[in-house]
Amino acid sequence: MPRERKIPSPEPDFDFFAPHPHPTKVRVINSMFGSVPDAFDGKTLELGKESPRRQKKTTEDATATPTPEPELETKTEPEPVPVEEVMKPSVASEVKAMAWDTSDGSAQSRLFIKGGRIVNDDQSFDADIYIEDGIIKQIGNNLVIPGGARTIEAKGKLVIPGGIDTHTHMQLPFMGTHAVDDFYSGTKAALAGGTTMIIDFVLDQKNVSLLEAYDKWRNWADSKVCCDYALHSCVTWWSPEVAKEMDILCKEKGINSFKMFLAYKDVFMLEDNELYEVFKRCRELGALGMVHAENGHLIAEKSSEMIQHGITGPEAHEMCRPEEVEAEATNRAITLANQANCPLYIVHVMSKSAAKVVTKARRQGKVVFGEPIAASLGTDGTHYWNKCWRHAAGHVMGPPLRPDPTTPGYLMDLLANNDLQVTGTDNCTFNADQKALGKDDFRKIPNGVNGVEDRMSVIWEKGVHTGKMDPCRFVAVTSTNAAKIFNIYPQKGRIAVGSDADIVVWNPNASRTISAKTHHQAVDFNIFEGMLCHGVAEYVMTNGHVVLDEGQVRVTQGMGRFIPLPCNSETVFSRIRERERVGNSEMVFNRIRERERTTKPCKVEREPYDGPVAKITATQMSEKMIVADNPIIPNNAEFHGRPMTSSGARNLQDSTFSLSGQQIDEKSPRRSTTRSLNPPGGKSSGLW
Ligand code: URP
Ligand code: ZN
Ligand code: ZN
């Protein structure tokens, strides 16, 4: 089993760089940093200080004789490094410990990356990097490093933090089958493309315990992952039990984000009132709410209409989910989250309309983040109209890609300018025979596409190579912002002393053409087939192991670790907390009047009213009906001010449609089909 880190305290002011009790001091000589010339000049870097999150040794390791500190030498010539084989899944676990358990300061765990340009989200500079035991120990020039380190030449290359894919579904059981890329092939492919961490979703069936589902995912992933990973949890039903389990997941299991669905009616979808409850719970726990923004009720209606019209192919998948519906759901989710003062993350932003909603909300000061994915940035929904059924079905995912071919460029513009912040892939792959489950009915095509391997190249090609974003922004949207939002920064998402050695040597001058024939994913199709990408991962290191080495992918199943995500991320919650500071009623009034941020409600202190009070009239409303917006409609009560009809039905001039599609009185025992002889608008003999 992979080494698991101790779950850190969820304290918001957790100090990642708290000094180690016995730091080793190494003088950095003549350090030279490009854009921040004296950032580290003459400073003494403290080696050995480590994140409390990094559990350095396994239980067995802890009992072993400690390895002496390596001697300091000036020699930096490479020593031969044992070549690890590309492991077949069946034999990999046997050799795992031998091949990868190098957290002992031995020569094979020492790496020296020489001559590259380091790129972080906020600066880039020329410097070398020394790595030991999976941690970046030194950054500078003319470093004094221990002997025996392997040197990787990075002249003319960029040295960037490994990518973090915020959205994957490895081996997900879904729509009667399961995703073909599992935690082994999926993470191996991720590494091949320069992604060194994934965040997958625990997504089990409705009514299954969230904790049981979590254990299931951990069991699947721990034995197979080749890179570090973390988990989001999905809330697909609501009860006091779920509320309790959310607490345990946050406090004990390393979960800090919960995804809710406004699609997949009767399967995963929550109603608006449930969604609001979950948002409130997330807020209490310091967890991030995430939403799949579509309208499941409308999709169900419109997909039946498509079938009735005889449109059964993949194009119907898009037509019954038009982009204004994605925008409606995005707006609804943002509104409900804002009312709960819960920070919100919109997963897989697929359309211009939804992206505009996110952008507008951010400009209103709402705490919302938007995640376009490799698919929405790299291709479009015109493929649903392709004459080849397999090709069209290969692009089916929810929400769908959009037929407007200017969509990817538009989303990239917003990403470049921080209207959108972070990128994932929604990698959830199905082979031709699995997609063919829906050959006669598009509703049965398993939803999902690839992306985990190609995300970095696609974003470089469409973002940096086009001149829309610079390399620093590329790093921000492929790793740093994710690390900040999910509260693992600067352990991940930064090249800095003390950070994990998840590093990519990126060649901006090399190019490759994406193809299913050459990719490392298990799936037989690639939505980016034929795309020429400038910008290629040349070396990839995960926890200091070189796993992409001169074109060869060298990994072992289970070599990755589970990374717990602590709650109360500063990036996500500092504004939320400030808005909840208790104030007086005048402050609350001012904020409401000026339409400023939400704040904790506070009552106005005033003398009680002691004048006359009207008597309740003959319509005999029950106590419950006096409370506005109570959905329970008693017999013979009024509805929206108009009395019920003599047969006990609601007055037909009243609208009962809620945004979620639920009838406001659908739980009322007296709601019935009523024959109306004189309906509004004239006599009819039809059924109402
Ligand atoms: O089509 C998709 N997106 N499949 C995976 C499940 C989800 O909604 O994220
Ligand atoms: Zn989704
Ligand atoms: Zn997804």
Side-chain angles (χ1 to χ4, degrees):
M1 296 285 277
R3 286 158 286 152
E4 183 182 331
R5 293 170 182 201
K6 193 171 164 290
I7 306 224
S9 136
E11 287 302 310
D13 55 355
F14 173 72
D15 180 7
F16 177 76
F17 283 134
H20 186 279
H22 306 292
T24 308
K25 303 215 171 197
V26 172
R27 180 113 180 112
V28 178
I29 303 159
N30 191 21
S31 132
M32 206 174 67
F33 290 86
S35 55
V36 182
D38 53 6
F40 287 87
D41 247 355
K43 288 193 180 130
T44 299
L45 299 182
E46 294 185 341
L47 303 191
K49 67 181 181 181
E50 278 197 318
S51 160
R53 293 176 199 176
R54 170 166 282 271
Q55 186 182 318
K56 200 174 167 193
K57 307 246 177 223
T58 59
T59 321
E60 292 149 42
D61 292 332
T63 58
T65 318
T67 313
E69 286 291 338
E71 266 180 51
L72 297 184
E73 292 179 21
T74 49
K75 180 174 147 233
T76 58
E77 285 85 44
E79 280 195 356
V81 178
V83 175
E84 295 84 10
E85 282 181 66
V86 182
M87 298 299 164
K88 287 267 181 314
S90 53
V91 296
S93 52
E94 291 163 32
V95 293
K96 181 183 123 194
M98 180 186 75
W100 295 109
D101 194 3
T102 55
S103 55
D104 58 359
S106 69
Q108 74 194 85
S109 76
R110 293 176 206 155
L111 277 178
F112 183 54
I113 306 174
K114 192 162 172 268
R117 184 162 187 85
I118 294 173
V119 183
N120 280 321
D121 67 320
D122 55 355
Q123 59 174 169
S124 67
F125 50 89
D126 296 327
D128 303 333
I129 300 175
Y130 173 63
I131 294 159
E132 195 175 288
D133 289 347
I135 296 286
I136 298 174
K137 299 282 183 177
Q138 299 182 58
I139 296 175
N141 288 86
N142 304 319
L143 296 180
V144 178
I145 63 158
R150 176 185 172 187
T151 298
I152 291 178
E153 279 297 342
K155 197 159 176 48
K157 317 280 164 63
L158 305 179
V159 182
I160 63 175
I164 300 174
D165 186 337
T166 50
H167 189 148
T168 66
H169 300 279
M170 303 306 173
Q171 66 194 70
L172 176 70
F174 191 45
M175 296 181 76
T177 182
H178 62 267
V180 67
D181 273 296
D182 65 6
F183 281 98
Y184 173 67
S185 67
T187 54
K188 179 179 162 186
L191 289 166
T195 288
T196 53
M197 180 173 175
I198 61 163
I199 315 184
D200 205 84
F201 288 84
V202 176
L203 174 53
D204 215 321
Q205 291 175 26
K206 224 181 182 69
N207 299 326
V208 170
S209 147
L210 270 56
L211 289 171
E212 276 172 33
Y214 171 91
D215 287 341
K216 196 188 287 181
W217 255 255
R218 286 294 309 271
N219 280 336
W220 287 342
D222 284 350
S223 56
K224 289 187 180 170
V225 282
C226 304
C227 66
D228 286 354
Y229 82 104
L231 292 170
H232 314 284
S233 171
C234 295
V235 179
T236 56
W237 56 294
W238 180 241
S239 75
E241 199 48 42
V242 172
K244 212 171 340 156
E245 292 197 335
M246 286 173 72
D247 183 57
I248 297 168
L249 286 167
C250 287
K251 298 211 170 103
E252 297 171 26
K253 305 288 182 184
I255 296 285
N256 74 358
S257 43
F258 294 91
K259 176 178 174 182
M260 282 70 71
F261 291 85
L262 298 178
Y264 306 117
K265 183 181 170 182
D266 301 328
V267 182
F268 299 141
M269 190 175 85
L270 293 185
E271 296 296 344
D272 293 353
N273 56 330
E274 296 171 316
L275 181 62
Y276 180 62
E277 293 298 327
V278 183
F279 282 151
K280 284 196 291 186
R281 189 68 178 138
C282 286
R283 167 62 201 103
E284 281 165 11
L285 296 170
L288 178 62
M290 308 176 92
V291 164
H292 173 132
E294 292 191 279
N295 187 320
H297 289 292
L298 208 52
I299 291 169
E301 295 294 326
K302 290 187 77 72
S303 9
S304 314
E305 286 167 23
M306 292 290 158
I307 298 289
Q308 278 161 23
H309 284 105
I311 310 172
T312 58
E315 67 282 12
H317 175 81
E318 203 284 333
M319 287 192 283
C320 68
R321 294 166 172 81
E323 71 173 78
E324 74 167 338
V325 179
E326 187 189 348
E328 178 276 317
T330 305
N331 188 53
R332 180 157 39 106
I334 291 172
T335 306
L336 294 176
N338 189 50
Q339 289 305 311
N341 204 19
C342 176
L344 179 64
Y345 181 106
I346 303 290
V347 299
H348 45 47
V349 176
M350 301 302 291
S351 64
K352 288 179 171 183
S353 307
K356 282 176 192 166
V357 171
V358 172
T359 302
K360 185 170 167 216
R362 284 176 61 82
R363 287 176 188 192
Q364 290 168 340
K366 291 174 182 154
V367 183
V368 54
F369 306 95
E371 173 206 73
I373 58 173
S376 61
L377 293 163
T379 186
D380 63 52
T382 56
H383 294 282
Y384 297 131
W385 278 262
N386 193 290
K387 289 279 198 259
C388 167
W389 187 91
R390 197 276 173 266
H391 181 94
H395 291 78
V396 166
M397 64 163 301
L401 293 156
R402 300 304 174 184
D404 173 353
T406 63
T407 304
Y410 185 86
L411 295 180
M412 187 60 82
D413 286 334
L414 297 192
L415 185 64
N417 294 295
N418 207 35
D419 290 313
L420 301 170
Q421 294 70 45
V422 66
T423 57
T425 57
D426 202 2
N427 192 94
C428 186
T429 48
F430 300 100
N431 277 339
D433 61 333
Q434 296 173 298
K435 290 277 181 184
L437 290 166
K439 69 185 174 51
D440 302 318
D441 182 344
F442 71 93
R443 295 173 299 184
K444 297 181 185 159
I445 302 172
N447 287 198
V449 297
N450 64 289
V452 76
E453 180 166 352
D454 300 319
R455 179 183 65 120
M456 302 286 278
S457 282
V458 167
I459 296 173
W460 186 275
E461 177 66 19
K462 306 281 180 183
V464 184
H465 194 67
T466 55
K468 291 189 177 199
M469 58 173 73
D470 63 18
C472 287
R473 182 67 191 165
F474 174 76
V475 167
V477 301
T478 53
S479 68
T480 312
N481 289 355
K484 287 179 180 173
I485 290 171
F486 295 105
N487 214 6
I488 45 172
Y489 179 84
Q491 178 192 0
K492 305 284 187 191
R494 188 163 190 88
I495 307 274
V497 173
S499 296
D500 285 354
D502 289 355
I503 298 176
V504 177
V505 176
W506 187 262
N507 188 344
N509 300 313
S511 61
R512 70 182 181 101
T513 301
I514 297 176
S515 174
K517 291 192 187 76
T518 49
H519 71 199
H520 296 81
Q521 298 203 223
V523 68
D524 61 6
F525 187 80
N526 192 315
I527 56 168
F528 308 114
E529 187 72 36
M531 186 187 291
L532 174 68
C533 291
H534 302 82
V536 174
E538 224 157 72
Y539 293 92
V540 176
M541 281 141 264
T542 177
N543 287 304
H545 301 296
V546 186
V547 285
L548 177 68
D549 198 348
E550 287 162 14
Q552 296 299 307
V553 184
R554 297 175 165 146
V555 293
T556 307
Q557 286 200 79
M559 64 184 281
R561 300 164 305 171
F562 175 70
I563 306 290
L565 306 178
C567 286
N568 289 306
S569 153
E570 273 303 295
T571 303
V572 172
F573 272 95
S574 57
R575 286 175 291 164
I576 295 283
R577 277 197 298 271
E578 179 58 28
R579 289 168 199 189
E580 290 192 346
R581 206 150 45 84
V582 181
N584 56 27
S585 61
E586 195 183 341
M587 173 187 139
V588 173
F589 176 57
N590 282 339
R591 284 201 181 185
I592 290 172
R593 192 181 51 187
E594 288 159 27
R595 302 183 65 195
E596 281 189 350
R597 313 293 161 247
T598 55
T599 190
K600 231 186 176 53
C602 180
K603 75 173 186 177
V604 176
E605 296 298 342
R606 51 167 77 90
E607 291 297 312
Y609 174 79
D610 60 0
V613 179
K615 295 233 170 347
I616 294 181
T617 53
T619 44
Q620 302 297 326
M621 285 192 290
S622 75
E623 185 73 20
K624 275 181 176 156
M625 271 304 290
I626 299 169
V627 181
D629 296 325
N630 191 305
I632 300 165
I633 315 293
N635 295 351
N636 301 319
E638 289 184 357
F639 184 69
H640 287 197
R642 277 179 284 273
M644 298 306 226
T645 65
S646 56
S647 62
R650 63 182 157 75
N651 193 303
L652 293 170
Q653 291 176 52
D654 287 311
S655 166
T656 60
F657 184 73
S658 81
L659 271 177
S660 67
Q662 197 177 23
Q663 290 288 308
I664 206 157
D665 61 346
E666 71 184 9
K667 294 195 176 87
S668 165
R670 297 302 303 266
R671 182 169 174 250
S672 60
T673 304
T674 309
R675 200 180 176 84
S676 173
L677 294 176
N678 290 297
K683 198 165 173 168
S684 159
S685 55
L687 280 179
W688 287 68

